[in-house]
Amino acid sequence: MTTLGEILTIPRFSTIHTLNKQADLSKVVDTIEISETPDVALFLPKNSFLLTTAMVFENDPVGLCEMIQSLHDLPAAGIGIKLGRFLDDIDPMVLAFADNLQFPILQIPSTVTLGTISHQLLSYIWDQQTEKLNYALDIQKKFANMMIKDATLSSLIRHLGSILKRPVLLVDSFMEVVAESRHLKQQPHILAAHFEKMIPKLKEAQKLGKEYSFILESDAEQQLLVSVFPVQTGSYFPYLLVIFKADQIPYPFSQFAIEQANIVLSYTLYKNQKLLEGNLLLREDFFQQLLEATSEEKRLNVLDYGNDYGLKDSNTYQVVLATLQLTLENQTPLKNQSYLAYEWLEKQLSNLIPNALLFPIKNSNYYGILLQDSTNLLTKQLEEIHYHLKKLLPLELHFFIGNTVSDLNALHFSYNEALEIFQQQDGARPHSSILNYYQLKGINKLLDYVPKNEIDHFCTIYLKTLAFPKEDTLIELRKTLKIYLECQCEITETSKRLFIHRNTVKYRIAKCEDLFQMPINDPDFSLKVRLALVLSEPKNE
């Protein structure tokens, strides 16, 4: 971008002078135009610098003011008037009007033609643009070579910072610093002092998805212009390239050069993402092997192979399924959403839950978390991860938690429990709670698929007439038997709970043993009687 101020510093344009004191010389000049038409603003492109003799305004300062207003509204970069032919000087009223708009009025010397000065100015502008284009292409070539040589993001950002001579930062989707230039490494106080204040602005840039600039107030009462460029990688939330003091970027580094560097960063991030996806496919396969390790031989093989993944031999394992949910209305997550938070979530788990391993699940959009140690803080830890993510992005994590198992061979039980509660909640997932624990089922639930006539037959064999009693005496006898077993065959405790005499309890238990022809306290028979009592309970009880 070439400005009027830059042009006026060039020696060959030293004969061009600024006529009004409040002229804004920071205006960008894209092209040069010559015209004597009063309504020329209707036909000029933006950022034009107009050359004229103002012949039609020889005795009409008001008309000249009106044209200046129209040029300002376009907006144009300024106007250059050749004095000495039709106008000997500019009316003070015109200069005051231009000063009020900060619109530049320049004097073109009478010794050169407008065609000559137009050619000279255009040549300079085009040379500047060509130089910036060549420089940008050179930057692209250097960055592309670095990318081909497998340069890291850190080295790319350091190189970009050294070229710009400005602090540069690469921030990921979760507002965490991925890489920074040497300026920030050598002056870490800059980042420490400003990054937290920048996060709301960075979120705004991420939401807009396009270049975004803002002013950052420093502690030294200085203002820093910060420019943010989204780095697209195919994810719903882009990375952000952050450049400090962007208004002081040295020539000839242009916007186009920044865009070329951005493209290379985008390709590098995309490549890293594909490498991650390849690694996750291996982790998917390994987790499937974990779930299929149902024999001792398979368990030993998986433990040996799992050393590379952090798997250890433990007496406590537990599976937690984690789902990622976008909370924006009328928005559909991209196809690769399941990879979006993997690295972030893995880092959070390593910080909060020791020995926790994260695995993607095949043919799904959720993760499996393998806990290898017992913890009393699981609820607190998972809630902390949930709320941390929610503050950063419009994303929510929901957890579905299976029960612990004591052997790796039984891990599939914990996984199936977590999967079952997830599938039950899936229809109402936008309203599901953060933590969803699996509840163990009762005996009746386990026997759902056993025919009722077989259950009734089992109860009748072991309880005889007490299985489905109708008479009051049999109902009372069954009740005594049930309480007696619940009290671990303690006569005194049973009598207290039933509010009857101890001898009455003894009498009734003796009648039960006569009916069963077996002692009630026999361990094997007692278990079957307890089970028969549960299975024969009326549904309303």
Side-chain angles (χ1 to χ4, degrees):
M1 293 184 295
T2 305
T3 65
L4 280 178
E6 291 175 17
I7 291 173
L8 294 179
T9 61
I10 305 302
R12 60 177 157 158
F13 302 125
S14 59
T15 56
I16 301 176
H17 302 293
T18 306
L19 295 177
N20 56 324
K21 296 179 180 179
Q22 301 300 322
D24 180 7
L25 299 179
S26 65
K27 291 181 177 294
V28 175
V29 183
D30 287 341
T31 187
I32 309 296
E33 300 288 343
I34 302 175
S35 179
E36 302 293 349
T37 307
D39 59 351
V40 67
L42 298 174
F43 311 101
L44 293 180
K46 291 181 179 180
N47 301 326
S48 299
F49 182 70
L50 178 64
L51 297 175
T52 183
T53 62
M55 58 184 290
V56 297
F57 304 112
E58 186 174 1
N59 299 305
D60 185 11
V62 174
L64 183 54
C65 289
E66 291 174 353
M67 187 177 78
I68 288 173
Q69 180 68 59
S70 65
L71 291 171
H72 174 266
D73 294 340
L74 180 60
I79 185 172
I81 301 176
K82 181 178 178 180
L83 297 179
R85 184 167 183 189
F86 296 100
L87 297 180
D88 293 326
D89 51 37
I90 303 297
D91 191 296
M93 180 186 76
V94 176
L95 295 177
F97 184 81
D99 274 340
N100 186 51
L101 299 175
Q102 294 186 315
F103 187 81
I105 299 179
L106 275 55
Q107 178 184 347
I108 305 300
S110 59
T111 55
V112 295
T113 65
L114 293 182
T116 299
I117 199 69
S118 173
H119 178 75
Q120 291 174 347
L121 289 170
L122 280 172
S123 295
Y124 175 77
I125 292 171
W126 289 340
D127 285 345
Q128 297 292 95
Q129 291 174 346
T130 301
E131 185 175 359
K132 289 178 180 179
L133 177 62
N134 289 333
Y135 189 71
L137 293 173
D138 187 50
I139 292 296
Q140 183 196 41
K141 183 179 178 180
K142 289 179 180 178
F143 270 76
N145 286 335
M146 292 179 69
M147 181 183 69
I148 291 170
K149 293 178 181 178
D150 208 23
T152 63
L153 288 171
S154 296
S155 60
L156 289 170
I157 292 298
R158 284 198 303 269
H159 186 62
L160 181 59
S162 64
I163 293 172
L164 292 177
K165 298 181 174 60
R166 293 291 173 267
V168 179
L169 201 62
L170 184 64
V171 179
D172 69 9
S173 305
F174 301 92
M175 299 299 125
E176 294 189 1
V177 177
V178 176
E180 58 196 80
S181 63
R182 286 192 177 90
H183 305 82
L184 295 172
K185 287 186 176 293
Q186 294 167 357
Q187 298 174 298
H189 63 279
I190 295 178
L191 195 56
H194 299 307
F195 190 71
E196 287 299 322
K197 293 186 289 185
M198 289 168 53
I199 287 180
K201 296 290 186 182
L202 295 179
K203 288 182 179 179
E204 183 66 21
Q206 190 180 64
K207 182 178 179 181
L208 291 172
K210 60 182 180 180
E211 182 188 348
Y212 180 79
S213 296
F214 58 90
I215 299 295
L216 191 64
E217 301 287 345
S218 69
D219 296 334
E221 296 185 355
Q222 295 178 341
Q223 292 185 333
L224 297 176
L225 178 65
V226 181
S227 291
V228 184
F229 302 85
V231 183
Q232 300 294 344
T233 60
S235 297
Y236 193 90
F237 305 100
Y239 279 61
L240 300 173
L241 176 63
V242 183
I243 302 175
F244 293 84
K245 304 177 184 177
D247 55 333
Q248 303 172 25
I249 294 176
Y251 176 84
F253 208 97
S254 65
Q255 180 87 2
F256 186 53
I258 294 176
E259 290 172 359
Q260 297 307 304
N262 192 317
I263 290 172
V264 173
L265 288 172
S266 179
Y267 277 120
T268 303
L269 287 168
Y270 183 76
K271 178 196 68 176
N272 292 348
Q273 178 180 301
K274 289 302 177 184
L275 290 173
L276 172 63
E277 290 177 11
N279 179 52
L280 294 188
L281 289 175
L282 295 176
R283 295 184 73 89
E284 281 181 2
D285 292 335
F286 176 70
F287 189 69
Q288 191 64 33
Q289 292 178 43
L290 278 179
L291 299 178
E292 294 171 355
T294 54
S295 67
E296 183 63 17
E297 182 181 357
K298 287 184 177 180
R299 185 185 76 86
L300 294 175
N301 289 338
V302 166
L303 277 173
D304 184 48
Y305 182 53
N307 287 332
D308 294 338
Y309 296 98
L311 185 67
K312 69 173 191 175
D313 197 2
S314 173
N315 58 6
T316 301
Y317 295 102
Q318 189 173 14
V319 174
V320 178
L321 294 184
T323 65
L324 196 63
Q325 181 179 325
L326 186 67
T327 58
L328 288 176
E329 294 184 3
N330 302 320
Q331 297 289 348
T332 303
L334 296 184
K335 186 177 179 180
N336 63 349
Q337 174 187 310
S338 59
Y339 299 111
L340 177 63
Y342 182 85
E343 290 178 303
W344 181 88
L345 182 55
E346 187 176 45
K347 186 185 296 184
Q348 299 301 312
L349 289 172
S350 64
N351 292 336
L352 291 174
I353 309 177
N355 298 314
L357 304 179
L358 182 65
F359 297 94
I361 307 297
K362 270 192 174 183
N363 304 318
S364 74
N365 60 348
Y366 47 89
Y367 303 112
I369 301 172
L370 175 60
L371 307 179
Q372 303 184 90
D373 293 301
S374 60
T375 172
N376 296 324
L377 301 174
L378 183 61
T379 297
K380 180 181 178 182
Q381 292 161 335
L382 294 180
E383 285 181 342
E384 184 175 340
I385 293 172
H386 169 90
Y387 288 115
H388 187 187
L389 176 61
K390 193 172 181 179
K391 283 196 303 184
L392 295 173
L393 292 173
L395 289 171
E396 286 187 353
L397 279 166
H398 294 268
F399 301 97
F400 302 86
I401 305 163
N403 289 294
T404 58
V405 295
S406 59
D407 196 294
L408 200 59
N409 292 349
L411 187 66
H412 60 283
F413 288 115
S414 183
Y415 171 78
N416 289 335
E417 290 170 352
L419 182 60
E420 183 176 333
I421 192 67
F422 164 71
Q423 290 171 340
Q424 290 174 0
Q425 295 287 334
D426 195 33
R429 192 163 44 164
H431 309 290
S432 63
S433 58
I434 300 169
L435 304 177
N436 303 272
Y437 286 89
Y438 180 81
Q439 301 297 325
L440 285 173
K441 297 177 174 62
I443 293 173
N444 283 314
K445 187 67 177 178
L446 295 177
L447 297 175
D448 274 349
Y449 299 101
V450 179
K452 184 179 183 305
N453 60 340
E454 291 188 16
I455 294 175
D456 292 347
H457 179 64
F458 174 85
C459 296
T460 303
I461 287 176
Y462 288 100
L463 291 179
K464 311 297 184 186
T465 56
L466 299 183
F468 307 100
K470 301 293 183 182
E471 300 176 12
D472 290 343
T473 55
L474 293 178
I475 292 173
E476 197 64 31
L477 194 59
R478 175 190 168 100
K479 180 179 178 182
T480 303
L481 174 63
K482 180 182 177 183
I483 299 301
Y484 179 70
L485 290 171
E486 289 177 357
C487 294
Q488 308 302 318
C489 301
E490 291 287 336
I491 299 290
T492 303
E493 184 64 27
T494 304
S495 67
K496 287 180 181 179
R497 287 187 56 183
L498 291 173
F499 301 103
I500 59 178
H501 196 274
R502 294 178 75 256
N503 290 337
T504 304
V505 174
K506 288 181 179 180
Y507 172 76
R508 291 179 179 177
I509 296 303
K511 286 195 69 173
C512 289
E513 290 181 340
D514 287 342
L515 178 65
F516 301 148
Q517 296 296 303
M518 281 290 292
I520 299 297
N521 58 5
D522 178 81
D524 182 61
F525 182 71
S526 173
L527 173 62
K528 292 172 181 174
V529 169
R530 286 171 186 261
L531 180 58
L533 284 168
V534 171
L535 296 177
S536 60
E537 283 287 353
K539 294 298 182 182
N540 61 343
E541 295 184 23

